[in-house]
Amino acid sequence: MSPDFPRTLAIFCKVVDNYGDIGICWRLARQFHAEHGIAVTLWVDDLASFRRIWPQVDTAAELQNIDGVTVRHWAGQDGQFGPADIPDLVIEFFGVDIPPGYIEAMAQREPRPVWINYEGLSAEEWVEGCHRLPSMHPRLKLIKHFFFPGFNEKTGGLLRERGLVEDCARFQEDAAAMAAFLGRFGVREEEMAALKVSLFCYPHAPVSELFDVWAQGAMKVSCLVPEGVAREKVEAFIGARAQAGAAATRGALTVRVIPFMPQTDYDRLLWACDVNFVRGEDSWVRAQWAARPFVWHIYPQDENLHHVKLRAFLQKYAVGAQSLVDFSLRWNDAREGQMEGLWTSLQAELPGLTRRAREWEAQMLANGDLVSNLLDFARSLST
């Protein structure tokens, strides 16, 4: 095993779920470079979505350097490539189709690169059997290996940069820092005593029903919604355009529209809130590292296959927390039920869910961090 392998690396990202795909790939790219000194090239097809989570992105640039990472606009499948263009390690994200000319050049390079298909995060048991499996190219002398993030030692673990958990703990222990951070978005001092909730979901989530329950409830709730999320339902509540800075209070509920923020600030939002509603994969993982109760809105799939994936995760995570299971299934349209009763039950279990979040964090830490695990695997293939 060569400790200085790889020196160069490429990640190919095609944006399907607006921010989750590029969110994960950008975290990967930054960590490979910052913590392991690897020269990283990130190929991404949607620079506009990228810019929303990292404002330094120039959406008109074909080639740019951001925080030491080379970012290339992946404009299509054409292009001429030679062996000298190919890095030591090539990662295709969620099985995207790398340009054919690039693959041909991979086969011509000596030594051939390690080729990894970075798969989606799932708690389903079949993942453990597929993690690290090889796949021969049908025509070229190339082998691709599958690498699955996951929740135990039989998978690649969760994406986590160095010092993340410690930074989160320090922030959460500093009430003044949290108040100052939330104050940037208009959260008043008296709102700090309310139940602080971040809301990030897909448009079909039953947001209006939940807003009604919160507004009519006995507990004050301060809900922070990034601009563009559940736009129509947020606008119906506040009675105005859902642009950053807009806010309204009805009954016990205050809804505030906040800017769509860089990843580093979004992490702090999750750390500062008492409950986080997250979606897709990137924010889902970050909610787990925030060690706070959270509700996951899973990316929808045909024939409701996503409900299987949701239940598999809840079976592992929501141990002894039936209220979270019931509410999560309702939030994802996987069961029926009155939102009021489901939320009331969940709210009553928040102290226990906070303890469970801490336990889960400790379990996930024991699996190591995904980038280090992936590099160890890639090095084992390079010998």
Side-chain angles (χ1 to χ4, degrees):
M1 179 183 295
S2 175
D4 59 353
F5 179 92
R7 293 186 176 90
T8 55
L9 180 157
I11 301 172
F12 283 82
C13 174
K14 193 173 289 289
V15 177
V16 178
D17 178 10
N18 296 347
Y19 313 111
D21 302 314
I22 183 57
I24 296 167
C25 288
W26 181 231
R27 292 189 195 275
L28 281 170
R30 288 167 58 208
Q31 189 175 352
F32 278 124
H33 176 69
E35 296 183 12
H36 299 276
I38 300 169
V40 179
T41 298
L42 173 60
W43 294 79
V44 57
D45 65 333
D46 183 353
L47 293 175
S49 291
F50 190 1
R51 180 178 171 81
R52 291 204 76 189
I53 65 166
W54 208 256
Q56 295 95 312
V57 173
D58 180 354
T59 57
E62 294 297 314
L63 175 68
Q64 56 192 301
N65 185 286
I66 307 172
D67 290 359
V69 174
T70 298
V71 175
R72 301 187 68 103
H73 183 209
W74 183 8
Q77 294 296 83
D78 297 328
Q80 299 297 317
F81 303 95
D85 299 315
I86 305 303
D88 297 330
L89 174 60
V90 177
I91 298 175
E92 61 180 44
F93 188 70
F94 283 12
V96 299
D97 292 325
I98 296 176
Y102 197 91
I103 295 176
E104 293 284 348
M106 287 168 60
Q108 295 166 14
R109 183 188 191 267
E110 291 293 342
R112 293 183 182 87
V114 172
W115 185 6
I116 298 289
N117 181 354
Y118 183 109
E119 282 289 349
L121 175 62
S122 176
E124 295 168 281
E125 289 188 6
W126 65 265
V127 164
E128 298 170 7
C130 295
H131 180 54
R132 298 188 173 195
L133 282 184
S135 174
M136 295 287 296
H137 192 279
R139 182 172 53 85
L140 303 172
K141 289 184 178 180
L142 287 171
I143 302 176
K144 174 167 56 179
H145 286 82
F146 295 90
F147 194 90
F148 284 81
F151 303 104
N152 59 32
E153 73 286 352
K154 298 177 182 178
T155 64
L158 295 181
L159 189 58
R160 169 179 54 85
E161 61 270 26
R162 189 178 299 148
L164 173 67
V165 172
E166 294 79 6
D167 289 345
C168 174
R170 279 193 296 270
F171 184 79
Q172 290 177 339
E173 290 167 2
D174 190 338
M178 289 197 291
F181 175 78
L182 293 176
R184 290 165 46 188
F185 310 113
V187 177
R188 301 183 303 270
E189 184 177 351
E190 58 269 25
E191 283 181 67
M192 292 301 295
L195 184 74
K196 297 173 291 296
V197 180
S198 74
L199 178 62
F200 189 38
C201 62
Y202 297 109
H204 59 280
V207 171
S208 298
E209 296 173 55
L210 185 56
F211 280 178
D212 288 342
V213 171
W214 282 343
Q216 296 164 17
M219 177 181 288
K220 288 189 176 182
V221 176
S222 180
C223 180
L224 304 171
V225 189
E227 192 173 31
V229 173
R231 182 186 299 277
E232 292 182 1
K233 295 167 185 177
V234 171
E235 289 181 342
F237 181 88
I238 64 178
R241 287 185 59 197
Q243 57 190 12
T249 299
R250 189 196 325 147
L253 172 63
T254 297
V255 173
R256 293 189 177 279
V257 182
I258 62 177
F260 211 96
M261 58 188 68
Q263 282 185 326
T264 46
D265 278 347
Y266 181 71
D267 288 346
R268 285 174 174 76
L269 177 68
L270 297 177
W271 301 349
C273 287
D274 304 301
V275 180
N276 294 301
F277 285 72
V278 293
R279 79 181 202 189
E281 183 167 327
D282 183 49
S283 60
W284 174 37
V285 172
R286 303 312 278 195
Q288 293 174 60
W289 291 126
R292 301 286 205 204
F294 67 90
V295 177
W296 178 33
H297 202 204
I298 187 171
Y299 187 76
Q301 294 178 289
D302 292 337
E303 300 179 1
N304 289 328
L305 293 177
H306 56 297
H307 290 164
V308 176
K309 186 175 177 180
L310 172 65
R311 286 187 169 92
F313 174 69
L314 291 172
Q315 186 175 14
K316 281 185 167 62
Y317 178 81
V319 176
Q322 189 61 40
S323 66
L324 178 59
V325 174
D326 293 340
F327 187 92
S328 298
L329 294 176
R330 175 67 176 85
W331 188 246
N332 285 275
D333 198 28
R335 61 154 287 176
E336 297 180 352
Q338 291 296 319
M339 186 64 74
E340 181 180 6
L342 293 170
W343 172 254
T344 299
S345 296
L346 180 62
Q347 180 180 299
E349 283 195 17
L350 286 179
L353 290 172
T354 300
R355 289 190 295 272
R356 174 56 184 156
R358 297 288 184 192
E359 294 170 358
W360 181 257
E361 179 185 74
Q363 287 180 240
M364 296 306 100
L365 284 171
N367 300 325
D369 78 274
L370 182 142
V371 162
S372 295
N373 292 339
L374 191 154
L375 287 175
D376 286 344
F377 178 54
R379 287 165 184 151
S380 73
L381 298 173
S382 71
T383 57

